Amino acid sequence: MGSAVSTSVRQPARAATAAFAGTTIEWYDFFIYSTASALVFPQLFFPNSDPNVSLLISLATFGVGFFARPLGGFFFGHLGDRFGRKKALIATLLLMGLSTSAIGVLPTYAQVGIWAPVMLIVLRICQGISVGGEWGGAVLMAGEHAPEGRRTWYASFAQLGSPAAVLLSMGIFAIVSRASGDSFAVWGWRIPFLLSLVLLVVGMAIRLGVNESPEFTAASESKKLARFPIAEAFRQATWPILFTMLAFTIGTAGFYFTNTFLIAYTTRTLGLDRAVILDCLAMVAVVQFLGQLAAAKIAERIGDSRFLLVASALAMLAPYPMFLLVQLKTTTGIVAGVSIATLCASGFYAVIAGYASKVFPVEVRYSSISASYQLGGAIFGGFTPMIGVALSASYPGQWFPLAIFYSILAGVSFLGVLLLAMAGFATKTKTDGVAVMIAAPTHAAVAQ
């Protein structure tokens, strides 16, 4: 009896740790692709006489992963709502680890011609499907194991995987870049991808030690599960899915603006060495990690909606001091400037996961939260680096159009949270001791 109680007490911490470890591995795999797509893939897989064209094509394949993410969200969301969060999360981790390590052994365009980019794109799609299913399940496993009233804090641990993965991916790329020197484009870039196999083993060991979500288990035992969760989700919660999708924008697009586009911008437009910007972004990731922990604590005190509205409003202002400082071309200026934007966007990102999970009923929660996040990521996140490159090419030497673009992304998130708050989707909840349910939205509620 005592052992069972002790195990149940430890499960919230285990679930949060597993969510953190799992999303760290998934995002590490996803991020090393984004870094390589800005640094080496244009020359190795998409050679062209115009380097800007090669970069745009390479970043387009980065965007392809985002359009695969909704497929993963739908597929694994269905599995997670029908058969359990844990089973779905084990499958996503396996798919990501195997597809990422396979990229590390791909031949280049010079070796096999057109088959090289074709194989790269196929594996990128597998990455997108995997991360599309991972995020929602990790958030729910942490949040649904959380003690009463602590969902935002525990769910935020799934979000910590993002800055941790940045540190890991940037650190490994920086080490490999220096160690391999001129051979970086030949074999050095492959090492971060091959390391995914090691991380896969570690992640599986952690994830297998966590019990199934107690809320899902209770819903399953009471036969409340939906037969076709994704269809039921769109039938029952169309407006909340749409509003939540808008709300996620700056947490996703803002990150890829500062961690993918900015690599290309600073190395090509400002002429900085790639090692310098990678070091700067690694330092910013430390700021992001600590900032997200602080943000989750603050949101618990002042309320999720209020925090998210303030964070997204500040994010609209953040790109202007960011670019002014980045233009100094100093390590201090770059770190300070990107940290300003990152603290706003990542603080928002830390809190939105727990907030969004409160919007949807347990029997369609995995499908709903995944659809919101992944559709938003596909629309607003995947092509943010490409739009940034296009704006930079259209307005050479000018950063103001780029800053306006970033402000628009933050404004979309502000609108999404405002609509959710006005309609009361995240507050019209009642606890029956087993699961958190919300009433289906009405047109009247949306009009309020």
Side-chain angles (χ1 to χ4, degrees):
M1 178 71 175
S3 176
V5 172
S6 176
T7 300
S8 66
V9 169
R10 291 195 300 265
Q11 277 299 307
R14 285 185 182 177
T17 302
F20 168 65
T23 53
T24 297
I25 294 166
E26 291 271 348
W27 287 124
Y28 165 81
D29 290 353
F30 211 67
F31 293 163
I32 57 174
Y33 188 101
S34 72
T35 304
S37 70
L39 293 179
V40 294
F41 284 173
Q43 308 94 282
L44 297 180
F45 291 92
F46 310 100
N48 189 285
S49 58
D50 186 342
N52 283 324
V53 172
S54 293
L55 177 61
L56 280 171
I57 296 173
S58 180
L59 291 177
T61 68
F62 170 72
V64 165
F66 278 83
F67 276 88
R69 280 167 57 171
L71 297 177
F74 295 156
F75 178 72
F76 288 107
H78 174 84
L79 293 182
D81 281 330
R82 284 284 294 145
F83 306 108
R85 289 35 169 152
K86 184 174 179 177
K87 292 183 178 69
L89 287 173
I90 289 172
T92 62
L93 197 59
L94 278 171
L95 178 60
M96 179 62 93
L98 295 176
S99 58
T100 301
S101 56
I103 292 175
V105 296
L106 280 182
T108 64
Y109 189 93
Q111 294 169 313
V112 297
I114 192 65
W115 286 108
V118 169
M119 288 187 287
L120 181 67
I121 291 170
V122 169
L123 291 171
R124 178 59 178 169
I125 290 171
C126 291
Q127 279 192 320
I129 291 171
S130 172
V131 83
E134 165 71 23
W135 180 86
V139 166
L140 296 186
M141 280 292 275
E144 291 177 353
H145 272 95
E148 184 72 25
R150 305 300 310 280
R151 186 185 293 266
T152 295
W153 172 251
Y154 278 81
S156 73
F157 279 82
Q159 305 294 70
L160 285 175
S162 176
V166 172
L167 279 172
L168 191 59
S169 61
M170 293 293 181
I172 289 174
F173 259 106
I175 293 170
V176 170
S177 177
R178 287 182 172 88
S180 57
D182 293 339
S183 298
F184 177 72
V186 180
W187 58 265
W189 68 271
R190 298 180 183 275
I191 294 174
F193 290 89
L194 295 174
L195 283 175
S196 180
L197 278 177
V198 178
L199 297 177
L200 172 62
V201 174
V202 174
M204 289 296 290
I206 296 173
R207 184 151 282 176
L208 289 170
V210 181
N211 295 339
E212 180 55 81
S213 156
E215 289 189 29
F216 174 83
T217 300
S220 178
E221 290 173 352
S222 60
K223 302 190 184 303
K224 289 183 178 179
L225 301 182
R227 187 174 181 184
F228 299 105
I230 190 63
E232 184 64 20
F234 278 101
R235 186 194 69 80
Q236 185 180 152
T238 305
W239 287 109
I241 288 174
L242 175 62
F243 296 161
T244 306
M245 181 183 76
L246 297 176
F248 277 126
T249 300
I250 193 60
T252 303
F255 175 86
Y256 290 107
F257 188 98
T258 56
N259 285 267
T260 300
F261 163 70
L262 210 62
I263 293 176
Y265 177 78
T266 53
T267 54
R268 291 171 178 266
T269 302
L270 300 184
L272 293 175
D273 185 81
R274 67 172 181 247
V276 173
I277 186 61
L278 290 176
D279 288 344
C280 289
L281 291 178
M283 287 184 268
V284 171
V286 176
V287 174
Q288 181 184 352
F289 189 93
L290 298 175
Q292 286 190 199
L293 286 171
K297 280 293 186 185
I298 294 169
E300 278 196 328
R301 291 180 177 274
I302 70 173
D304 293 356
S305 294
R306 184 180 301 173
F307 179 90
L308 291 170
L309 288 171
V310 171
S312 54
L314 291 174
M316 286 188 268
L317 304 175
Y320 305 96
M322 176 182 74
F323 275 105
L324 286 171
L325 289 166
V326 168
Q327 297 295 121
L328 298 176
K329 302 183 184 180
T330 64
T331 299
T332 302
I334 294 170
V335 172
V338 180
S339 292
I340 291 171
T342 297
L343 281 172
C344 299
S346 64
F348 184 97
Y349 180 72
V351 175
I352 190 64
Y355 180 76
S357 70
K358 300 171 188 175
V359 172
F360 306 104
V362 64
E363 70 270 15
V364 295
R365 189 176 290 155
Y366 200 145
S367 298
S368 299
I369 195 173
S370 296
S372 301
Y373 185 75
Q374 305 308 343
L375 286 171
I379 296 170
F380 300 109
F383 289 102
T384 287
M386 281 187 65
I387 295 172
V389 170
L391 286 172
S392 185
S394 299
Y395 301 93
Q398 300 181 48
W399 58 263
F400 200 72
L402 298 169
I404 291 175
F405 173 51
Y406 190 98
S407 294
I408 292 171
L409 295 173
V412 172
S413 281
F414 183 90
L415 176 63
V417 175
L418 185 63
L419 290 170
L420 284 169
M422 290 174 62
F425 289 128
T427 56
K428 287 190 241 175
T429 61
K430 59 182 180 179
T431 303
D432 60 11
V434 175
V436 179
M437 306 293 290
I438 68 168
T442 64
H443 294 293
V446 175
Q448 289 175 355

